[in-house]
Amino acid sequence: MGIIRKVNTMNKIIKKEVLNPFVKLMVVEAPHIAKKALAGQFVILRVTENGERIPLTIADYDREKGTITIIFQEVGKTTQMLGALNEGDFILDFVGPLGKPTEYEGNLKKVAVIGGGLGTAIAYPQAKQLHSMGVDVDVIAGFRNKDLIILEKEMKEVSNRLFITTDDGSNGNKGFVSDVLKRLIEEGTKYDLVIAIGPLIMMKVISNLTREYGIKTIVSMNPVMVDGTGMCGGCRVTVGGKIKFACVDGPDFDGHEVDFDEAMRRQNMYKEMEKESVEKHKCRLEDIQNA
Amino acid sequence: MPNMSLNKVKMPEQKPEERIKNFNEVALGYTEEMAMEEAKRCLNCKHKPCVTGCPVNVQIPEFINLVAEGKFEEAYYKIKETNSLPAICGRVCPQETQCEEKCVRGIKGEPVGIGRLERFVADWYMANRKQEKPSFEKNKKNVAIIGAGPAGLTCAGDLAKLGYDVTIFEAFHTPGGVLVYGIPEFRLPKELVKREIDTIKDLGVEIKTNMVIGKVLTIDELKEEGFEAIFIGTGAGLPNFMNIPGENLNGVYSANEFLTRINLMKAYRFPEYDTPIKVGKNVAVVGGGNVAMDAARSAKRLGAENVYIVYRRSEKEMPARLEEIHHAKEEGIIFKLLTNPTRIIGTEDGWVKGIECVRMELGEPDSSGRRRPIAVKGSEHIIDVETVIIAIGQSPNPLIKSTTPDLETQKWGGIIVDEETGATSIEGVYAGGDAVTGAATVILAMGAGKKAAAAIHKYLNTKA
C-alpha cells in the first residue's frame, strides 16, 4: 500500500518565527501538500472546532522535509488564534494546495516582483521561483514603516536589485512601491512582466501604471472564501467583465482586467462582524488572564 | 385487521410561529404507539409495488410488519440490509414520488407513511440500542472513494461489508457532503448525520478529511497508491449564477455559500462560531427547488421579516417537494410566482437594495415538458430587498476532470458512466450521484453508490 494511508496529516507546527510585531511565520508539517505545492497556490486552514476557514497563500514549501511555510498578519480572530499557537502545536485543519499555480508565460528576461506589506511574503516565493529559472528579478517591497519590514535578507538573495520603501520614510526611503516602479520604467528598465501582490489599492495603482506602459501584470487576489474548491462562489471577482472564482480560476489574474473597485467593496462585506468577533475574543482573553 | 383509516397518522411538528425562531427539527417523529398504528395501515401486498419505487431496495412491507408487531429492533436490521443511512432517508427522501407513490393505499386516501416509519425505526434504534461494531472477513483489496456524501458513504458501506478496505477522501473538514453543508439542521439534525456516519466508520471505513482529490492527489496517483478501484462521488458543488447585472453586489449569495455558512460552519450561532453571515430585513431567494426552500426558511430563522421566493414558473412546476413548499408557506415565506429577476440593484457603496423582476406567462411546453415561461413586456417592477440568494442549481465540480483528461464528461460537466454499473471511461474508476446526474436527490445518489459498489465487487473478482 502506498504512503497516503499512512501519511501524517496532523499539521504540526515545527517552527514559529515573529517577523515583525504583527506578522508571524510558521513552518507546518504537511508532506502530502508539500509534495504538490507550487508558487501562487494557497491553503485553507481552521484553528478550532468553532472556527472559520481562512485562506493563506503558501509562502514556501520543502518537498524533502515535507513542510509548508505560511506567513500571516494577525488581523482577525482566526489569525490571532493561529498566532497564539506554538512550535509543537497542531493546526486543526490544513487543506491544499488549492488554486492555480502562477503561470509564467513567454520568454521572460526581466521581471519586477512587487510586494506591499504582508503581500511581500506572497511575492517572495514568486521572486524565488523566477530567480531559480534564471530570470533577472527586481524586487520592490513597501511597508508602512521600517519596523514592519520583513524578509529583507531572503529577498536580497533572490533578486538582482531590491528596493524597499516605507510610507513614512523611516528607512530613509520614503514613498510607495508604485513610485519606485515608475522611476525604474522611466529610467529605461524594460520589464517583460510585473507581479504585484499586496493590498487591493496597491495592486490597482500598479496595474493602472503598467497599463500605460503596456507591461503585462499579474496580481494575486485574496477575497473572502469558505471552501476554496469552487463550491460557494463567495470569492467571485469580475475579470474582463466575467465572473471568476478566485479559488479555482485564480488566485492570480491579469491586473489590467480585474475590477478592483468591486473587489474593494466586496472586502467590506463582513467588516462589522469581523470587528465584533475580534472584540469578543479579546474580552475572553482578558477574562482568562484576569481569572 | 389492518387500520383502514384513509389518512396517515399525523406527524407531530413544532408550531410554525415557534420554529421560525429556532433551527431545531420541524418534524418531531412518531411515538411507538403512533408508529404501530400507522404500520397497521400496510396491506402487506404480495407484489410489493412500494419496493420497486425505492432506489436502494428497502424491503418495505417486511420492515413495516415488524413495526406493527412492535419488533422495532428487527425492523431496523431489515432496513439496514439494504440501506446504510435510514435516519437520513426517512427524513429527506421524496417518498411521495418513490415508494409512497406506488402504495396501494394511496389509490383511495393517503399512502402508508413509509418515510415516517423508516425514520421512527432508525431513531428508535439510535435511542435504545448501542450499535455493535460488526467485523467482516477482509479480502485485502483497497478501494478509494472520493467524496463523503450520500453516494460515497453508501458505496463505502456496501464495499466494507463485502470485505474491502475502503478509504474515503473528503475535501471538507467534516464528512457528509450535502447532508452537512446543504440540508439545514431543521430538516436533518447534524448530530444524527454524524451518528449515521459513525455506523459506516464502524464497518471499518476510513475517512480522510481535508483531502481535495484533483489537487493533493490525482486519480492516477490513487491507483499508484494501490487502490484497485475508485468511486467518484464528488457531487454537484459548483453554483450557477444568472448572469444578470448586480450579482457581485454585497448581499448576494449563492445558495451554496449561504447554506454552507449556516449548516457546515454554523454561522447561525455567530459569534459563538466564528463564521459570519449577513441577512437583511428583506430577502429574495431566486429558484423553486428544495435548496431554494431551505435557503428561504433559513433566512426567516435568521430574523428576516419578509422572505420572498422568486420563481419564474407557477407553483405546479416547482421542483421542490410539496412538504417543503407547505412548510415554507406555514412559516410565512412569500411566493412571488411567474416572476423572473432581470437585475439586482445596489446602493452607491455596493450593497443590494432591490431586485428588479418581470412578470412571466406560461407558453408552450419546453424540452422538460413544463410550460415555458415568457416575459410580459413592460411588467418590470422592483422588490425592495437587502439580501439576494441565488438557488437556480449547481453543476459538477471540475477539479477532478481538470487533472484527469481521460475521464469523459458531458459538455455541462457531468461524468459519463454506464447506467447499470457506474463505470466511467477509465477502467476501475466508477462514479455516481450528482457528479454524474447534476443536482438530484440524496436517495438517487445512494442508489448510484449502491450499484457502483456491486459493480466494483464484480470487477475486482473477475480481474486476474
Side-chain angles (χ1 to χ4, degrees):
Chain A
M1 200 59 206
I3 57 146
I4 192 62
R5 305 227 306 183
K6 288 178 227 128
V7 82
N8 169 2
T9 51
M10 298 290 291
N11 321 314
K12 186 178 181 182
I13 299 164
I14 55 171
K15 185 176 156 191
K16 177 181 175 182
E17 208 176 299
V18 178
L19 299 185
N20 78 29
F22 308 102
V23 175
K24 287 179 178 142
L25 171 150
M26 280 179 180
V27 179
V28 182
E29 222 170 54
H32 54 300
I33 304 175
K35 202 176 147 199
K36 283 295 184 74
L38 289 168
Q41 290 187 296
F42 64 94
V43 292
I44 286 221
L45 62 82
R46 209 166 64 114
V47 183
T48 63
E49 276 301 338
N50 290 10
E52 196 174 3
R53 293 167 66 98
I54 61 155
L56 284 180
T57 306
I58 294 171
D60 207 349
Y61 52 82
D62 187 324
R63 301 211 200 286
E64 275 170 33
K65 291 191 183 126
T67 59
I68 294 286
T69 303
I70 49 173
I71 297 177
F72 57 94
Q73 191 160 358
E74 296 184 12
V75 286
K77 185 178 167 190
T78 305
T79 42
Q80 285 175 7
M81 288 192 298
L82 180 64
L85 297 179
N86 289 306
E87 288 175 10
D89 290 343
F90 300 93
I91 297 175
L92 181 64
D93 297 300
F94 203 68
V95 192
L98 299 169
K100 286 189 177 155
T102 306
E103 286 171 22
Y104 306 110
E105 285 167 0
N107 182 18
L108 299 176
K109 289 199 190 69
K110 193 155 185 68
V111 175
V113 176
I114 305 174
L118 180 74
T120 305
I122 309 162
Y124 164 68
Q126 305 274 358
K128 185 178 161 188
Q129 172 106 24
L130 287 162
H131 179 76
S132 73
M133 289 160 62
V135 178
D136 190 351
V137 180
D138 283 348
V139 173
I140 309 169
F143 301 91
R144 283 212 311 277
N145 63 57
K146 72 172 176 15
D147 296 329
L148 300 179
I149 295 172
I150 57 171
L151 300 175
E152 186 170 2
K153 186 174 115 277
E154 288 83 351
M155 288 189 290
K156 210 166 224 159
E157 281 167 12
V158 298
S159 57
N160 284 54
R161 293 189 287 178
L162 171 64
F163 306 90
I164 296 183
T165 66
T166 45
D167 297 1
D168 67 351
S170 52
N171 74 333
N173 196 0
K174 187 177 162 76
F176 296 115
V177 285
S178 48
D179 302 333
V180 179
L181 180 67
K182 191 173 166 71
R183 178 168 58 82
L184 292 171
I185 295 170
E186 286 186 346
E187 281 171 9
T189 315
K190 293 255 178 285
Y191 292 112
D192 304 312
L193 175 70
V194 169
I195 297 176
I197 304 171
L200 288 166
I201 184 69
M202 173 218 120
M203 296 195 286
K204 178 184 172 179
V205 170
I206 295 284
S207 298
N208 284 344
L209 177 69
T210 55
R211 190 184 288 116
E212 277 174 43
Y213 295 96
I215 308 168
K216 186 179 160 65
T217 301
I218 296 175
V219 296
S220 177
M221 303 300 280
N222 187 20
V224 170
M225 287 184 191
V226 182
D227 61 295
T229 64
M231 215 200 82
C232 80
C235 64
R236 57 200 189 274
V237 190
T238 301
V239 182
K242 292 202 175 96
I243 292 184
K244 297 279 177 190
F245 291 180
C247 66
V248 286
D249 301 320
D252 290 352
F253 292 106
D254 181 341
H256 298 157
E257 301 268 330
V258 171
D259 183 341
F260 286 105
D261 294 336
E262 178 190 89
M264 284 187 255
R265 286 197 301 266
R266 287 185 65 79
Q267 212 173 31
N268 291 331
M269 177 104 182
Y270 298 105
K271 217 164 206 169
E272 288 159 33
M273 300 180 86
E274 280 159 10
K275 235 199 229 152
E276 184 187 345
S277 203
V278 168
E279 290 303 321
K280 283 245 160 65
H281 181 56
K282 267 196 202 143
C283 296
R284 257 191 48 216
L285 281 183
E286 278 161 18
D287 287 350
I288 293 166
Q289 279 155 6
N290 295 337
Chain B
M1 190 56 199
N3 167 1
M4 291 312 290
S5 162
L6 291 184
N7 297 314
K8 292 177 186 177
V9 173
K10 236 173 122 53
M11 175 66 114
E13 280 177 358
Q14 268 199 84
K15 288 204 179 73
E17 57 274 21
E18 284 297 318
R19 69 190 194 228
I20 57 168
K21 292 182 220 138
N22 67 55
F23 272 80
N24 300 337
E25 205 175 3
V26 169
L28 301 171
Y30 280 164
T31 60
E32 292 186 7
E33 294 72 27
M34 290 174 182
M36 286 170 73
E37 191 188 337
E38 178 63 21
K40 286 184 183 127
R41 293 185 63 229
C42 176
L43 301 176
N44 203 6
C45 309
K46 285 247 151 38
H47 64 305
K48 305 179 195 173
C50 48
V51 179
T52 63
C54 177
V56 296
N57 205 31
V58 169
Q59 296 304 302
I60 295 163
E62 278 92 333
F63 101 73
I64 290 185
N65 270 293
L66 289 165
V67 174
E69 290 168 22
K71 296 180 179 161
F72 306 133
E73 186 167 0
E74 287 85 343
Y76 178 79
Y77 292 126
K78 185 46 84 183
I79 297 173
K80 279 291 261 192
E81 280 175 15
T82 60
N83 184 355
S84 309
L85 309 167
I88 292 166
C89 291
R91 286 171 166 82
V92 303
C93 268
Q95 289 98 9
E96 66 278 9
T97 60
Q98 297 180 338
C99 51
E100 293 183 18
E101 189 183 43
K102 313 261 176 179
C103 177
V104 170
R105 293 298 306 264
I107 298 168
K108 197 181 165 200
E110 286 184 329
V112 175
I114 300 170
R116 293 175 181 184
L117 290 171
E118 182 178 32
R119 171 194 162 134
F120 164 78
V121 170
D123 289 359
W124 183 92
Y125 188 87
M126 270 190 199
N128 294 291
R129 292 288 178 273
K130 209 173 155 274
Q131 188 77 39
E132 279 172 35
K133 263 198 188 184
S135 65
F136 303 97
E137 208 169 305
K138 294 271 179 191
N139 62 20
K140 302 232 160 68
K141 286 181 180 157
N142 294 286
V143 180
I145 309 258
I146 307 169
L153 289 169
T154 305
C155 190
D158 280 17
L159 286 169
K161 285 185 209 161
L162 291 164
Y164 293 90
D165 273 313
V166 183
T167 308
I168 306 184
F169 295 93
E170 165 58 40
F172 269 131
H173 54 264
T174 307
V178 73
L179 306 172
V180 295
Y181 76 70
I183 303 176
E185 180 79 15
F186 56 81
R187 278 215 290 140
L188 184 63
K190 302 307 146 216
E191 182 53 35
L192 185 147
V193 175
K194 188 181 165 292
R195 287 169 68 171
E196 287 279 57
I197 292 173
D198 284 344
T199 68
I200 305 247
K201 285 188 192 164
D202 285 344
L203 300 171
V205 172
E206 190 185 354
I207 303 180
K208 282 200 166 284
T209 52
N210 295 330
M211 296 292 242
V212 181
I213 302 301
K215 285 288 179 191
V216 74
L217 280 167
T218 62
I219 296 280
D220 286 339
E221 285 166 328
L222 283 174
K223 285 186 163 178
E224 286 161 27
E225 290 279 340
F227 292 102
E228 294 181 57
I230 296 163
F231 175 78
I232 305 173
T234 44
L238 224 55
N240 298 340
F241 286 89
M242 288 182 291
N243 295 315
I244 59 171
E247 275 182 303
N248 282 4
L249 288 166
N250 288 358
V252 181
Y253 286 102
S254 73
N256 261 3
E257 179 181 2
F258 188 73
L259 292 172
T260 301
R261 283 179 180 271
I262 295 170
N263 301 328
L264 178 75
M265 307 308 296
K266 305 231 181 313
Y268 65 94
R269 287 163 70 179
F270 180 90
E272 181 195 348
Y273 283 74
D274 295 338
T275 303
I277 192 149
K278 243 189 147 100
V279 178
K281 224 193 226 180
N282 306 287
V283 177
V285 179
V286 182
N290 289 325
V291 173
M293 299 305 140
D294 285 345
R297 297 171 68 194
S298 297
K300 190 87 188 181
R301 283 162 173 76
L302 286 165
E305 284 174 20
N306 301 302
V307 181
Y308 306 96
I309 288 275
V310 177
Y311 181 57
R312 64 197 179 120
R313 304 182 200 243
S314 72
E315 187 170 326
K316 215 176 90 203
E317 286 86 15
M318 274 199 168
R321 291 183 65 192
L322 276 180
E323 183 184 326
E324 303 310 325
I325 296 172
H326 169 73
H327 276 148
K329 283 185 176 168
E330 275 186 348
E331 289 167 15
I333 308 294
I334 305 155
F335 283 62
K336 297 262 183 194
L337 303 170
L338 290 165
T339 303
N340 201 30
T342 45
R343 69 188 169 110
I344 302 166
I345 303 158
T347 60
E348 258 170 40
D349 43 1
W351 293 82
V352 173
K353 67 170 185 184
I355 184 165
E356 186 193 79
C357 301
V358 285
R359 273 194 297 108
M360 308 294 276
E361 281 173 353
L362 291 181
E364 294 298 308
D366 62 12
S367 58
S368 75
R370 298 179 297 179
R371 293 175 65 191
R372 185 192 303 277
I374 303 159
V376 178
K377 266 197 194 129
S379 66
E380 285 83 0
H381 57 286
I382 293 169
I383 309 171
D384 292 333
V385 293
E386 300 81 36
T387 306
V388 173
I389 302 162
I390 317 263
I392 56 166
Q394 299 98 249
S395 313
N397 197 312
L399 276 182
I400 289 186
K401 166 67 186 167
S402 67
T403 48
T404 320
D406 297 345
L407 187 69
E408 283 178 20
T409 56
Q410 315 269 8
K411 266 208 193 91
W412 50 270
I415 300 171
I416 297 173
V417 299
D418 177 304
E419 243 182 69
E420 283 312 302
T421 61
T424 68
S425 53
I426 305 174
E427 195 195 324
V429 179
Y430 296 74
D434 284 4
V436 168
T437 57
T441 60
V442 167
I443 187 67
L444 285 175
M446 290 177 60
K450 212 169 175 59
K451 264 189 195 167
I456 287 170
H457 183 49
K458 197 170 162 202
Y459 164 70
L460 291 179
N461 270 314
T462 49
K463 207 176 97 172

